[in-house]
């Protein structure tokens, strides 16, 4: 099948020896750019006329349009010209000259074009193999002189394929590869690599033959590619050189460079040919260090030696990918031992767990802490510009279920902007017991806000009695109102109703439980002023309502607010006044402690965002894993950064613009369902910024990061130590063996 170029004035095709490229898919972002290029000279060209045989030839692409790695392999003889691919985003941009007017037919023009291409190929192969050698070996393919250099001379028939040339010149394909390598002299340097060779070579590379000024072709693209040139006079550093280059200063962001998984056998196959004499060589991997490898290539024939490494080194001693891998594991919230085990199982050369934890202690933790401080300063600046007192939701989270926890983290969220304002981590050894971590965390957070001259208008918490007393004594006198979250109170009321419904003649309470919980939420939501007397009266009216009594004696709430309940509005039986169920409900709902807490219900702001943040922490710091103090603190800050960047996402919408929803069946509903909006996909830009900051700060001064790490370590509490008297290991083992020796008889 002949695939001819569709551009105006171009007769090139795959049969004329030119590389042709099909149009991208119609959904591709560059498809319209290809169409516009052709239409610039052919206005009648339409996208609807495209077929699988519609192509654009290589003449219309610049050298930068091709994959530089493929070009390098082509120059070395490892890849055919037809296999050199276009780079991503390549668009034709070179228009061909208009066709010359002649009296010949179209068929004659094609023959002339074919003969020119054959002449060009012949000149290239003769230059490679040497005309004298070709005549000596009896190649049988000669050309008449062509002083004009346009390829119009008398040409004898010559097959450009290497098999025919080798039969005539009695060469083999290895010789042709050597000649190609001598012609182009590859430097074999790519993004993220370095090439070194010794100055004291025992042989001098062959000079590069002169290139003919032929018309622009694919070989011209190869020879004129900007980063493919090589000069024998270029100085390349050896390991014995005293001066080393600044290795990362020229690379602004090593994390932005794409990285690929390469098998060792395929990698070493690139070092089997000497770039100087094209003799057989063999590469050897030297000095592996985590993800870093160094390959030495030495030629026994000419003495050529060079070193190649797979990545840059930052600050002269740290492999860039080792540091980036540690940062990626930490900043994404992955478990280091599991991730490294997975990479080892895959057979990928990577860092050890010890290296990761060293990088974490010295470099990644200071980077996270600094990023959080910058985030915190921005939030405080935003709140000061907004004005008004802070409306905070606060709660404590233990690092393990139950009351015996190692850490307790106290978090504050500003409800107006829905962002984490402060995070405090308290180790249980700093307080009398782990149950005191919540109060200590709150004190530290309030002291931090006081230092920032921030006034707290309202504080919403759970019903922790220590916190309630401290806030009442220390903060309420300064104008802070303390509210209790409705969800926490509703959860305790629900448990009490479930327990009461299991008693004799109280089964009807189970039917009324959802309505009673809804009434609790309505009590808070229908009282925006937060009047304690009104909320208490509304709550106690529920006891009369379930007994079909809708008029009440309390002045704050004299009658039920609902319309008459008749027909379908009645789906439950009223409780009989004086029945065991009514009496039990009254004892539960009228408890003095509960009624006192009802008076402090939060009418407008709740802690559901804080509960969502605590759930997010499970991704970064799961409770089944133990962390050091700074390790735990850094993961809490990562969770806070993620929440602040994604807490206010919009609802996802369909292509028609309608909001998307999903039906869930949560366990607490016990078979019921809820409808929740589907949010947009989260953003991880904060993690990318952390990676950039890690490299920048390390390149600037690793010692500064280590000094920051030392300051953080000095402020951290010492690790927990057991108060029990420890026994020696030998004594414990001997007692164990003696105790179980009777089972070995």
């Amino acid at each position: 099948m002949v695939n001819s170029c569709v551009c105006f004035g171009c007769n090139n095709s795959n049969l004329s020896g030119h590389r042709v490229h099909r149009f991208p898919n119609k959904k591709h972002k560059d498809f319209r750019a290809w169409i516009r290029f052709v239409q610039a000279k052919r206005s009648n060209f339409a996208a609807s006329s495209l077929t699988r045989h519609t192509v654009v030839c290589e003449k219309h692409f610049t050298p930068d349009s091709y994959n530089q790695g493929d070009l390098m392999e082509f120059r070395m003889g490892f890849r055919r010209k037809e296999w050199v691919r276009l780079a991503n985003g390549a668009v034709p941009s070179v228009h061909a000259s208009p066709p010359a007017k002649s009296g010949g037919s179209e068929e004659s023009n094609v023959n002339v074009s074919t003969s020119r291409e054959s002449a060009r190929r012949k000149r290239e192969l003769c230059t490679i193999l040497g005309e004298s050698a070709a005549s000596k070996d009896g190649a049988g393919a000669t050309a008449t002189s062509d002083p004009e250099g346009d390829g119009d001379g008398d040409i004898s028939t010559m097959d450009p394929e290497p098999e025919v040339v080798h039969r005539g010149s009695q060469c083999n394909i290895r010789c042709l590869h050597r000649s190609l390598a001598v012609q182009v002299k590859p430097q074999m340097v790519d993004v993220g690599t370095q090439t070194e060779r010794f100055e004291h070579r025992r042989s001098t590379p062959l000079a590069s033959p002169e290139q003919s000024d032929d018309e622009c072709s694919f070989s011209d693209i190869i020879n004129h590619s900007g980063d493919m040139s090589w000069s024998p006079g270029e100085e390349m550093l050896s390991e014995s050189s005293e001066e080393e280059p600044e290795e990362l200063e020229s690379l602004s962001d090593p994390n932005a460079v794409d990285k690929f998984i390469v098998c060792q056998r395929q990698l070493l196959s690139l070092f089997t040919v000497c770039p100087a004499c094209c003799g057989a060589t063999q590469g050897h991997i030297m000095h592996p260090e985590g993800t870093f490898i160094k390959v030495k290539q030495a030629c026994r024939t000419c003495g050529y030696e060079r070193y190649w490494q797979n990545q840059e080194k930052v600050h002269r001693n740290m492999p860039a990918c080792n540091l980036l891998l540690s940062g990626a594991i930490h900043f994404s919230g992955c478990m280091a031992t599991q991730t490294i085990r997975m990479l080892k199982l895959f057979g990928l050369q990577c860092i050890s767990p010890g290296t990761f934890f060293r990088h974490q202690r010295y470099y990644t933790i200071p980077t996270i802490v600094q990023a959080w401080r910058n985030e915190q300063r921005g939030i405080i600046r935003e709140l000061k510009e907004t004005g008004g007192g802070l409306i905070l939701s606060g709660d404590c989270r233990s690092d393990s279920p139950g009351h015996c926890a190692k850490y307790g983290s106290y978090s504050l969220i500003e409800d107006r902007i829905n962002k984490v304002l402060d995070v405090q981590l308290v180790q249980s050894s700093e307080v009398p017991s782990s149950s005191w971590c919540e109060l200590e965390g709150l004190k530290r957070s309030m002291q931090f806000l006081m230092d920032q001259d921030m006034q707290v208008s309202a504080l919403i918490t759970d019903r922790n009695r220590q916190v309630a007393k401290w806030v009442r004594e220390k903060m309420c006198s300064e104008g802070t109102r303390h509210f209790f979250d409705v969800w926490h109170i509703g959860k305790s009321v629900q448990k009490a109703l479930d327990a009461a419904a299991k008693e004799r003649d109280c089964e009807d309470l189970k039917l009324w439980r959802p309505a009673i919980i809804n009434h609790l939420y309505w009590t808070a939501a229908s009282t925006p002023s937060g009047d304690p007397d009104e909320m208490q009266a509304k709550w106690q009216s529920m006891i009369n309502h379930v007994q079909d009594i809708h008029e009440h004696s309390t002045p704050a709430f004299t009658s039920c607010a609902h319309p008459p309940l008749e027909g379908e509005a009645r789906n439950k039986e009223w409780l009989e006044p004086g029945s065991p169920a009514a009496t039990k409900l009254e004892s539960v709902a009228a408890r003095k402690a509960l009624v006192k807490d009802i008076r402090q219900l939060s009418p407008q702001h709740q802690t559901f965002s804080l509960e969502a943040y605590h759930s997010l922490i499970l991704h970064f710091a799961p409770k089944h894993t133990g962390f050091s103090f700074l390790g735990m603190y850094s993961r809490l800050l990562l969770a806070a950064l993620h929440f602040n960047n994604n807490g206010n996402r919009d609802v996802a919408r369909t292509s028609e613009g309608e909001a998307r929803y999903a039906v869930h069946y949560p366990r607490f509903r016990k078979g019921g369902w809820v409808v929740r909006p589907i949010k947009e996909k989260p953003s991880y830009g904060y993690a990318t910024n952390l990676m950039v900051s890690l490299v920048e700060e390390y390149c600037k001064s690793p010692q500064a990061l280590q000094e920051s790490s030392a300051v953080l370590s000095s402020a951290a509490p010492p690790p927990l130590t057991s108060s029990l008297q420890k026994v020696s290991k030998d004594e414990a083992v001997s007692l164990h063996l003696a105790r179980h020796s009777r089972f070995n008889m």
Side-chain angles (χ1 to χ4, degrees), residues 709-721:
S709 174
V711 173
L712 293 173
S713 299
S714 62
L720 290 177
T721 56

Side-chain angles (χ1 to χ4, degrees), residues 695-710:
V695 177
E696 290 180 350
E697 295 299 325
Y698 186 90
C699 292
K700 188 183 301 181
S701 175
Q703 291 76 17
L705 287 176
Q706 294 179 9
E707 291 174 1
S708 300
S709 174

Side-chain angles (χ1 to χ4, degrees), residues 339-409:
T339 303
I340 295 175
R341 189 185 310 122
M342 179 271 294
L343 296 177
K344 292 290 187 182
L345 186 62
F346 179 63
L348 192 65
Q349 186 76 18
C350 63
I351 61 177
S352 64
T355 300
F356 167 81
F357 290 116
R358 184 174 65 255
H359 291 172
Q360 175 184 260
R361 181 172 66 255
Y362 290 140
Y363 309 124
T364 60
I365 288 180
T367 302
I368 294 172
V369 173
Q370 183 60 41
W372 167 248
R373 290 174 178 172
N374 295 337
E375 171 82 6
Q376 203 172 32
R377 282 194 292 267
I379 295 175
I380 293 176
R381 189 183 312 112
E382 178 184 357
L383 292 174
K384 288 184 177 180
E385 293 175 355
T386 303
L390 302 179
I391 300 177
L392 303 177
S393 298
D395 198 5
C396 183
R397 173 190 178 273
S398 298
D399 71 319
S400 59
H403 298 282
C404 185
K406 181 180 181 181
Y407 301 119
S409 58

Side-chain angles (χ1 to χ4, degrees), residues 451-614:
D451 296 339
Q452 301 296 326
D453 297 328
M454 306 292 288
Q455 177 64 34
V456 180
S457 175
L459 178 64
I460 302 97
T461 66
D462 58 6
R463 296 188 295 169
N464 186 286
R465 298 307 177 187
Q466 292 176 321
V467 170
K469 179 182 178 181
W470 187 84
V471 173
R472 184 171 62 252
E473 295 177 352
K474 302 295 183 180
M475 298 181 63
C476 290
S477 59
E478 299 179 0
T480 301
R481 296 193 63 182
H482 187 202
F483 296 104
F484 291 146
D485 178 61
V486 179
W487 178 79
H488 285 88
I489 297 180
K491 185 170 63 172
S492 62
V493 172
Q494 181 175 337
K495 291 181 179 180
L497 292 176
D498 288 340
K502 296 179 181 179
E503 297 185 7
R504 184 177 180 181
D505 298 331
C506 296
E507 295 82 3
D508 293 341
L509 291 179
K510 187 174 183 179
L511 299 175
W512 281 97
R513 186 195 64 184
I516 294 172
I517 301 302
N518 289 340
H519 181 78
L520 177 66
Y521 279 86
W522 175 83
T523 298
S526 62
T527 315
S529 62
D531 183 18
D533 296 332
E534 184 178 352
M535 286 193 291
Q536 179 180 348
K538 288 180 178 179
W539 170 250
Q540 291 178 338
S541 69
M542 177 269 301
I543 301 175
N544 292 334
H545 173 83
V546 299
Q547 302 178 59
D548 199 15
I549 301 174
H550 307 291
E551 298 295 333
H552 317 295
S553 59
T554 54
F557 191 70
T558 57
S559 62
C560 293
H562 60 77
L565 301 177
E566 298 177 356
E568 296 182 357
R570 288 292 309 118
N571 56 3
K572 292 182 291 292
E573 294 293 335
W574 300 111
L575 298 182
E576 292 293 335
S579 64
T583 304
K584 189 64 178 178
L585 175 61
E586 184 175 1
S587 65
V588 171
R591 285 186 296 117
K592 183 177 180 180
L594 178 60
V595 172
K596 184 179 179 181
D597 295 337
I598 294 294
R599 294 173 62 87
Q600 287 185 251
L601 284 178
S602 177
Q604 297 179 354
H605 304 279
Q606 310 299 330
T607 63
F608 56 84
S609 294
L610 194 58
E611 299 300 330
Y613 166 64
H614 286 172

Side-chain angles (χ1 to χ4, degrees), residues 213-453:
D213 296 332
D214 205 352
E215 59 181 359
C216 179
S217 64
F218 190 84
S219 59
D220 296 326
I221 296 177
I222 302 295
N223 296 330
H224 293 89
S225 179
D227 60 348
M228 295 297 167
S229 60
W230 184 87
S231 173
E234 289 182 354
E235 293 187 359
M236 303 180 68
L237 295 176
S238 64
E239 283 195 332
S240 60
S241 176
E242 296 180 358
E243 296 183 1
E244 296 183 8
E246 293 294 334
E247 293 162 334
L248 193 69
E249 282 67 14
S250 60
L251 192 61
S252 59
D253 185 6
N255 192 48
V257 180
D258 292 335
K259 304 167 185 64
F260 304 93
I261 296 176
V262 180
C263 295
Q264 178 178 340
R265 181 180 301 176
Q266 301 301 115
L267 176 63
L268 294 181
S269 67
L270 301 177
F271 300 92
T272 57
V273 178
C274 176
C277 69
C278 298
T281 62
Q282 186 176 4
H284 301 279
I285 295 179
M286 305 173 58
H287 311 299
E289 182 182 349
T291 62
F292 174 83
I293 60 170
K294 193 171 188 177
V295 179
K296 177 182 179 181
Q297 184 182 17
C299 180
R300 298 180 179 178
T301 304
C302 66
Y304 175 84
E305 290 184 351
R306 68 167 179 172
Y307 293 87
W308 174 90
Q309 60 190 42
N310 67 333
Q311 59 188 269
E312 300 286 345
K313 281 193 173 183
V314 290
H315 216 276
R316 302 173 181 245
N317 59 357
M318 171 72 74
C321 289
N322 287 0
L323 184 63
L324 292 173
L325 180 58
S326 297
I329 293 174
H330 195 181
F331 301 154
S332 62
C334 296
M335 299 296 103
T337 53
Q338 294 179 356
T339 303
I340 295 175
R341 189 185 310 122
M342 179 271 294
L343 296 177
K344 292 290 187 182
L345 186 62
F346 179 63
L348 192 65
Q349 186 76 18
C350 63
I351 61 177
S352 64
T355 300
F356 167 81
F357 290 116
R358 184 174 65 255
H359 291 172
Q360 175 184 260
R361 181 172 66 255
Y362 290 140
Y363 309 124
T364 60
I365 288 180
T367 302
I368 294 172
V369 173
Q370 183 60 41
W372 167 248
R373 290 174 178 172
N374 295 337
E375 171 82 6
Q376 203 172 32
R377 282 194 292 267
I379 295 175
I380 293 176
R381 189 183 312 112
E382 178 184 357
L383 292 174
K384 288 184 177 180
E385 293 175 355
T386 303
L390 302 179
I391 300 177
L392 303 177
S393 298
D395 198 5
C396 183
R397 173 190 178 273
S398 298
D399 71 319
S400 59
H403 298 282
C404 185
K406 181 180 181 181
Y407 301 119
S409 58
Y410 198 86
S411 309
L412 289 178
I413 286 184
E414 221 291 335
D415 280 9
R416 294 177 298 173
I417 61 175
N418 193 32
K419 288 186 177 181
V420 179
L421 179 59
D422 189 45
V423 176
Q424 297 291 338
L425 181 62
V426 182
Q427 187 170 277
S428 58
S429 60
E430 300 179 86
V431 291
S433 66
S434 56
S435 61
W436 288 73
C437 290
E438 183 168 1
L439 178 59
E440 180 64 23
L442 175 62
K443 291 180 180 179
R444 295 180 182 180
S445 292
M446 292 300 109
Q447 183 62 43
F448 168 76
L449 296 178
M450 186 182 302
D451 296 339
Q452 301 296 326
D453 297 328

Side-chain angles (χ1 to χ4, degrees), residues 108-285:
S108 63
N109 292 336
V110 174
N111 292 335
V112 171
S113 175
T114 304
S115 63
R116 288 182 177 181
E117 179 65 21
S118 300
R120 182 185 63 78
R121 288 192 170 194
K122 179 181 182 301
R123 285 196 302 273
E124 290 181 353
L125 290 175
C126 288
T127 302
I128 294 173
L129 299 176
E131 293 185 1
S132 59
S135 60
K136 183 188 299 184
D137 296 336
T142 60
T144 60
S145 62
D146 185 12
E148 298 296 328
D150 57 358
D152 291 335
D154 186 15
I155 305 172
S156 61
T157 304
M158 177 177 181
D159 193 336
E161 294 297 325
E163 288 79 7
V164 178
V165 176
H166 293 160
R167 283 197 298 269
S169 60
Q170 298 180 357
C171 296
N172 52 28
I173 191 68
R174 177 182 178 84
C175 180
L176 179 58
H177 283 175
R178 291 184 181 182
S179 302
L180 284 172
V182 171
Q183 177 189 8
V184 298
K185 287 183 173 56
Q187 185 179 351
M188 297 182 67
V189 179
D190 201 353
V191 176
T193 63
Q194 287 186 339
T195 306
E196 303 175 358
R197 68 178 174 84
F198 285 110
E199 298 287 344
H200 48 279
R201 297 194 307 270
R202 291 190 293 272
S203 64
T204 304
L206 300 178
S208 176
E210 296 181 359
Q211 302 297 324
S212 61
D213 296 332
D214 205 352
E215 59 181 359
C216 179
S217 64
F218 190 84
S219 59
D220 296 326
I221 296 177
I222 302 295
N223 296 330
H224 293 89
S225 179
D227 60 348
M228 295 297 167
S229 60
W230 184 87
S231 173
E234 289 182 354
E235 293 187 359
M236 303 180 68
L237 295 176
S238 64
E239 283 195 332
S240 60
S241 176
E242 296 180 358
E243 296 183 1
E244 296 183 8
E246 293 294 334
E247 293 162 334
L248 193 69
E249 282 67 14
S250 60
L251 192 61
S252 59
D253 185 6
N255 192 48
V257 180
D258 292 335
K259 304 167 185 64
F260 304 93
I261 296 176
V262 180
C263 295
Q264 178 178 340
R265 181 180 301 176
Q266 301 301 115
L267 176 63
L268 294 181
S269 67
L270 301 177
F271 300 92
T272 57
V273 178
C274 176
C277 69
C278 298
T281 62
Q282 186 176 4
H284 301 279
I285 295 179

